[in-house]
Amino acid sequence: MDGRILTIIVVFCMIVAVTESQNWTGNTESYKVRKSETCRRCVEQLPTYCARFRIIICNTYATKLRCSTGWTHNGDYNCSIPICRPTCGSVGECVAPGKCDCKGLAKGQYCQESLTESQKWTG
């Protein structure tokens, strides 16, 4: 009977571990998360079993992933979308964190300024 209960607990823990992990790719960074739970520690061990337990707090740490600063994802855990704040406006494209590629007559770090046609050719 004890063997079956242990097997069920192990399988349950494996299912929980699989559902908590995602396949992060791209510009990621790792961080640690602390999880506290109550555990039993044997304080009086007899030859074949533990006669008395003490309830203690056990801390475990898990390493998880997230997008690096300046990057995001659209729900697929692929951190390949750069973040520009403020945005690049309607005439620019965010190509790296904080870096806009301005199109047409726009200029400036976030494509917020406009050149006239004559300014464009005079430099």
Side-chain angles (χ1 to χ4, degrees):
M1 176 87 173
D2 292 304
R4 283 185 278 169
I5 292 173
L6 181 60
T7 302
I8 291 170
I9 291 172
V10 169
V11 170
F12 176 74
C13 290
M14 289 171 57
I15 291 170
V16 169
V18 169
T19 58
E20 288 184 356
S21 67
Q22 291 92 15
N23 294 319
W24 289 86
T25 58
N27 301 289
T28 60
E29 64 186 16
S30 62
Y31 66 102
K32 296 214 179 269
V33 176
R34 184 178 76 176
K35 181 179 177 184
S36 298
E37 56 190 20
T38 57
C39 302
R40 296 186 333 166
R41 171 180 264 166
C42 184
V43 292
E44 185 180 340
Q45 180 68 46
L46 297 178
T48 57
Y49 67 96
C50 183
R52 288 189 314 134
F53 293 95
R54 177 186 299 164
I55 303 297
I56 61 171
I57 301 296
C58 298
N59 291 319
T60 57
Y61 295 87
T63 301
K64 294 191 172 194
L65 292 174
R66 63 182 168 209
C67 290
S68 298
T69 303
W71 296 91
T72 189
H73 64 92
N74 61 5
D76 60 358
Y77 303 105
N78 181 8
C79 301
S80 61
I81 303 169
I83 299 171
C84 290
R85 287 203 178 95
T87 64
C88 300
S90 61
V91 293
E93 177 185 359
C94 188
V95 293
K99 185 172 187 324
C100 295
D101 181 19
C102 301
K103 309 291 184 208
L105 300 175
K107 70 173 190 169
Q109 183 177 4
Y110 298 104
C111 309
Q112 74 277 14
E113 300 171 29
S114 295
L115 291 173
T116 63
E117 196 64 37
S118 62
Q119 287 175 321
K120 183 176 179 183
W121 297 110
T122 59

